[in-house]
């Protein structure tokens, strides 16, 4: 799970965790049951992702939520783990700052960056 530390970007303090390393933004497309979901990632691929137990016990993830996906080392194009779910306030902040686009959230094109 990304650390909730504050990073400084220019003059502004960032409190929203962003994907690090090979992590990606994703939007939950379909709930499959047993802690598995189909997630449309920013690279255009749909991955079958699981919700790890530590996150499953604390966070309720539903279709349409913006999440951070960590692709697996093996089958990285098809599988991954959901490591964070954004709240609506955090999604609004990401949209305002240009980190994601409205089209990405609604199923259109990719990210702005």
């Amino acid at each position: 799970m990304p650390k909730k530390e504050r990073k400084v970007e220019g003059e502004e303090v960032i409190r929203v965790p962003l994907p690090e390393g090979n992590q990606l933004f994703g939007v939950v497309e379909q709930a499959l049951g047993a802690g598995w979901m189909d997630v449309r990632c920013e690279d255009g691929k749909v991955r079958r992702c699981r919700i790890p137990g530590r996150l499953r016990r604390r966070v309720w993830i539903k279709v349409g939520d913006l999440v951070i996906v960590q692709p697996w080392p093996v089958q990285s194009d098809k599988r991954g783990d959901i490591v964070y779910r954004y709240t609506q306030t955090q999604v609004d902040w990401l949209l305002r700052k240009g980190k994601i686009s409205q089209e990405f959230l609604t199923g259109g094109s990719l990210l702005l960056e």
Side-chain angles (χ1 to χ4, degrees):
M1 180 175 200
K3 299 175 188 169
K4 290 192 177 184
E5 60 187 36
R6 297 177 180 177
K7 297 180 184 174
V8 178
E9 187 176 278
E11 292 290 315
E12 188 175 13
V13 175
I14 299 176
R15 295 186 182 131
V16 177
L18 297 173
E20 298 174 351
N22 65 341
Q23 295 177 344
L24 305 163
F25 283 114
V27 177
V28 177
E29 293 282 308
Q30 185 177 13
L32 302 171
W36 288 88
M37 307 224 160
D38 280 343
V39 179
R40 179 176 34 85
C41 297
E42 64 182 287
D43 60 1
K45 297 177 181 164
V46 176
R47 289 181 172 85
R48 185 149 296 169
C49 297
R50 68 178 174 177
I51 306 168
R54 60 188 158 84
L55 192 62
R56 190 181 317 166
R57 288 187 290 272
R58 295 185 313 154
V59 178
W60 194 262
I61 299 176
K62 56 192 179 301
V63 173
D65 282 348
L66 182 68
V67 295
I68 295 178
V69 173
Q70 174 76 48
W72 286 2
V74 179
Q75 290 185 328
S76 62
D77 291 344
K78 297 181 181 181
R79 303 283 174 134
D81 287 330
I82 294 174
V83 295
Y84 188 79
R85 178 186 62 89
Y86 289 101
T87 63
Q88 188 57 47
T89 307
Q90 292 171 329
V91 171
D92 293 341
W93 185 88
L94 290 168
L95 285 168
R96 252 191 348 267
K97 296 299 174 185
K99 304 290 184 190
I100 59 172
S101 68
Q102 186 64 41
E103 290 79 27
F104 176 67
L105 290 177
T106 57
S109 64
L110 301 178
L111 292 174
L112 294 176
E113 291 183 357

